[in-house]
Amino acid sequence: MIVVAGIDVSKATLDVSVSECLVRRFENSCRGIRSLLKHIDRMYVTRAVCESTGGYERLLVSRLRATAIGVQVAHPLRVRAFARACGYEAKTDPLDAQVLSRYGLVFSESDTHKQEADEEREELQQLLSRRRQLVEQRVQDRSRLDKGISAIVGKSTRRHIRWLDKEIERLNKEYIELLKHSENLCRQADLYRSVPGVGQLTAATLVAYLPELGQRDGKALASLVGLAPWSRDSGKKRGNRSIRGGRSTVRAVLYMAAMSVIKVEGVHRRFYQGLRKRGKVGKVALIAVMRKMLLHLNAVARRRTPWVKQEAWQSTSQTFIPS
């Protein structure tokens, strides 16, 4: 029997509803989570569902993974759409907990990764996220230097850029060291790097943000990353297909990888040029290359063997090209 606990997470509190029943509130702290775990254990809970909140749920999810209870971290937009579909227009913390409990019964995808691997992956995510923040700050500061700022402000900006350079380099070393000390994550990263165009940063990002590689089919992965062309048809109208949603962090590194790989002689360059000759615009052809690379990565992860050059034309020959 499946018993689902819906947990609405906020900065200070955790609202819990088991099987859409009465809601109880706990502190979002170590002490509060211990009490919460005792409560759901008495209720014979088999799965817990919470939303991704940008970090406030991390301690809770970590403690839940240390138990036998399945954990599901749901996307907030999907949960909100589900609530409206069920007729819940109001939004409160107790009501959200009840909605999450029902959501877990309908969409039963538990987190099946090992606790150790998840902790290492989360740490890698945080390092890469911090690195991305600093890179964005550096881009902003460099653009300010071109806007006629005063000499004093210019000196301050250049000092900040030099500090950002050093800090980014330090984070580069730290995420590489983290990969080296994790046998599982290091093995995955090495496999991904065997695919043409995939470097150290791209491989680390795939390891951190796309653990589903090798576990799902190509269409599901393309949808996860946001590389699936969605239809816009109604009656006799046939709209243009376009991509949207998905994991933007993974899509960004695949975009840069595709940009580099189409400049080098190989299967991806020939594939890109063939699409261009058939009249596809550059961006559509580039997205098709990104999807092809994703399918190659999925094949490598599934077989757990490095990419082989001769198999390039044999695998992923049915890559879908958006119109």
Side-chain angles (χ1 to χ4, degrees), residues 134-168:
L134 297 183
V135 169
E136 291 172 356
Q137 289 182 35
R138 185 171 63 180
V139 170
Q140 293 171 0
D141 274 359
R142 285 175 175 173
S143 67
R144 292 188 182 101
L145 292 175
D146 300 329
K147 296 180 179 178
I149 57 179
S150 67
I152 296 176
V153 174
K155 286 182 179 180
S156 174
T157 303
R158 281 186 282 270
R159 283 197 304 270
H160 191 222
I161 291 173
R162 288 194 294 271
W163 179 86
L164 288 170
D165 289 337
K166 293 178 182 178
E167 196 64 21
I168 291 169

Side-chain angles (χ1 to χ4, degrees), residues 109 212-218 220-221 224 247 298 302:
E109 288 188 9
E212 295 87 355
L213 270 174
Q215 301 175 17
R216 302 196 182 184
D217 60 27
L221 279 174
L224 274 176
R247 300 179 187 176
N298 194 39
R302 184 185 298 115

Side-chain angles (χ1 to χ4, degrees), residues 73-94:
V73 182
H75 195 290
L77 292 179
R78 292 185 178 181
V79 175
R80 191 64 211 142
F82 175 80
R84 287 174 176 163
C86 293
Y88 297 108
E89 291 295 336
K91 190 180 188 308
T92 64
D93 291 346

Side-chain angles (χ1 to χ4, degrees), residues 271 275 283-292 319-321:
F271 179 66
L275 293 175
K283 186 174 288 187
V284 170
L286 189 63
I287 291 171
V289 172
M290 292 165 63
R291 178 172 172 132
K292 193 176 186 71
T319 302
F320 186 89
I321 311 301

